[in-house]
Amino acid sequence: MLLALVLVPLPAAAQWATVTANVNARAGPGTEFEVIAWFTRGTHANVVGCVADRPWCDVVVGRRRGWVNVAYLGGIARDRVPVVTFEAPIEPRSRRRGSG
């Protein structure tokens, strides 16, 4: 039984990365999203996951969480980081004036 556990690949888990330059953390995976935090070079970040089709990862530093471009994260192996999905929130349509 123990041998079987050793041979089964372990699921990808969040891992640590080092921020390689001063960088903005955003509310979503892209520069079109609002800047919600700022991380300094050398900061250690917990990488929660990365989106498969874009070079962005969801990271946590202390109590702050945001999306950072993978180019600014050193020491991670993308194949060992969980793949996450991101769906932008739907903004409510504004009401037309005069309509009832």
Side-chain angles (χ1 to χ4, degrees):
M1 181 75 160
L2 181 58
L3 181 60
L5 292 175
V6 173
L7 296 177
V8 174
L10 298 173
Q15 63 177 280
W16 290 94
T18 302
V19 176
T20 60
N22 296 341
V23 65
N24 292 325
R26 298 186 175 269
T31 56
E32 66 273 21
F33 292 93
E34 177 185 4
V35 174
I36 56 173
W38 187 70
F39 302 138
T40 57
R41 180 178 181 227
T43 299
H44 294 284
N46 185 349
V47 181
V48 176
C50 300
V51 288
D53 59 343
R54 300 177 96 177
W56 290 83
C57 296
D58 182 11
V59 302
V60 176
V61 174
R63 294 183 180 180
R64 298 175 296 167
R65 184 172 185 170
W67 291 85
V68 174
N69 190 296
V70 72
Y72 297 99
L73 299 173
I76 67 167
R78 284 287 299 258
D79 61 336
R80 296 291 302 154
V81 175
V83 174
V84 295
T85 57
F86 179 84
E87 294 183 30
I90 299 171
E91 294 185 25
R93 294 182 183 198
S94 59
R95 290 182 153 177
R96 289 190 203 177
R97 293 179 188 239
S99 63

